[in-house]
Structure formats: structure tokens, C-alpha cells
Amino acid sequence: MLKPITTEGTPKCLTSFASCKISDAGKAKKTRNFAVMKRMISLKDTRIKAQDREKKKRKKPDPQNMKIRELPQASSALFFQYNTQLGPPYHVIVDTNFINFSIKNKLDIIQSMMDCLYAKCIPYITDCVLGELEKLGRKYRVALRIVKDPRFQRIPCLHKGTYADDCIMQRVTQHKCYIVATCDKELKRRIRKIPGVPIMYLQQHRYSIERMPDAFGAPRT
């Protein structure tokens, strides 16, 4: 008569080995499949709710509830980035520091502008630039005397205060026929955001111009 197999009194390693053998004998080894896509539940499956089973339809935008975007009107003077209103005689708005740097470098403003652009230039001075020079006192009396030259055209200002940067920015935004002459980094950064406005500045003891490639005196880029 056969005795039943018992695991009592046998070491643990032998019992586990025996169970592994039995399990291996009863079940065939499965090789792991790589790069196999997961099974997707079909839409007809009963586990999916009826409301989720339906495909969601995209709503057509209602023309009455559409958002209206307001964009600033593009200037008629611009052909893309090219300013068609610029041409000889050139109209140049002069900033306070540009006059002071010109005096330090011993440059005649009107003659140096003509040497840069190879054309007639008319410098313009706003009331706030003149007010800034008057506030600076006796130290800048030479600059004040140059500004009062009859060849310099005066532009009247209607705003309050004597802050020239905002005044120049407003005038340049409205009228695209001006070139801005300045050495102020902050003002130059602000003007660069307005398309089609060239910037005149001092470089290597002479005037240079930015964003005006058709000018003869412009630096080659």
C-alpha cells in the first residue's frame, strides 16, 4: 500500500522545491510578449455607460458669442517694416542727451547729420527738451544756445510736465515721418518696439543710424 507524501519533518528548501516542481509541471511556462499593445475596450461593451458610449460632438462656435479682438491700426506709411514717409529732407527729433554728447565730441549737429544721411536734415526740438535743458542750469548753457539756433525747428507740446521721453514716443507713434536722435538706452529700447522709426546715435565720434538700411551713412549689417 502506497503512503501519502507528507512534508512534515523535511527541510523548508526541499518543500519549496517540491511545490515549484509541481506548479511548473501543472502549468506551462509563458514567454513575455514585448511591444504588444494593450487591449482596448470596445464602445459596445456593457461595462461602459450609455452616456460615455456616445461620441461627443463638437459644438460649432456661435457667431453671436464670438470674441472681438481689438488690434491697433497699422500705419498707412508702412510697407511691412519699410517706412515710405522717410525721405530727404529728413526730419530729426533731437533728445537732450544727444545734444550734450555732440558737444562733448565737438560735433556740429546739422553738418554731422548731413554727413551721416548724405541729404538735407531739419533738426526738431520739442518744448519739453528745451525745458529739460533750462532746468539743467548754467553748466549746459552752450547746449541751450545751440538749440535756440534758427535752423532748429520748434515743436510745441500740449502735455503737462517736461519729461521728454514720453513726449517723443507719443509724437513718433502718431507721425512716422521722424527720425529720433538719442543716446539714451531706455528710450532706444522703447522706440525699437515701434516699427519703421529709425534711431540716430553717436558711435566712434560720428553719427550713425539704426533701422534705415537705404541710408548711405548707415552701418553695414
Side-chain angles (χ1 to χ4, degrees), residues 20-184:
C20 285
K21 282 285 179 186
I22 292 157
S23 64
D24 287 350
K27 199 169 162 187
K29 274 188 180 180
K30 281 187 179 181
T31 54
R32 193 175 173 187
N33 295 328
F34 292 96
V36 177
M37 286 182 73
K38 289 182 180 179
R39 281 188 175 184
M40 299 289 286
I41 299 171
S42 66
L43 292 169
K44 293 176 183 178
D45 200 298
T46 52
R47 287 173 290 180
I48 298 169
K49 291 176 184 177
Q51 58 189 8
D52 296 333
R53 215 175 291 174
E54 292 175 2
K55 287 183 179 179
K56 290 179 180 179
K57 292 179 181 179
R58 285 186 180 180
K59 287 183 180 179
K60 288 184 179 179
D62 189 12
Q64 291 180 351
N65 296 331
M66 283 176 75
K67 288 181 180 179
I68 298 164
R69 288 194 305 162
E70 289 184 6
L71 295 170
Q73 189 180 359
S75 176
S76 59
L78 294 176
F79 180 75
F80 295 101
Q81 291 288 318
Y82 181 75
N83 192 347
T84 55
Q85 279 192 4
L86 291 170
Y90 292 103
H91 307 281
V92 186
I93 295 177
V94 184
D95 192 23
T96 313
N97 55 17
F98 187 82
I99 299 159
N100 296 333
F101 276 107
S102 298
I103 293 161
K104 279 182 183 177
N105 287 284
K106 297 178 182 178
L107 292 168
D108 182 11
I109 293 171
I110 296 169
Q111 188 59 47
S112 299
M113 280 179 183
M114 288 169 73
D115 292 343
C116 177
L117 295 169
Y118 294 159
K120 187 184 176 182
C121 297
I122 304 163
Y124 285 83
I125 294 289
T126 58
D127 286 348
C128 45
V129 171
L130 195 69
E132 277 185 2
L133 286 167
E134 285 171 353
K135 277 184 178 180
L136 290 167
R138 284 179 58 79
K139 194 178 178 182
Y140 295 91
R141 63 181 181 275
V142 179
L144 199 62
R145 197 185 300 165
I146 289 165
V147 163
K148 287 178 179 177
D149 191 300
R151 292 179 295 174
F152 281 74
Q153 299 286 326
R154 284 282 296 276
I155 300 173
C157 295
L158 301 170
H159 61 85
K160 291 179 181 179
T162 57
Y163 186 58
D165 289 14
D166 288 345
C167 175
I168 290 166
M169 282 291 296
Q170 187 185 356
R171 204 162 291 277
V172 161
T173 310
Q174 288 174 350
H175 311 287
K176 300 287 183 188
C177 61
Y178 292 114
I179 297 166
V180 180
T182 184
C183 296
D184 188 6

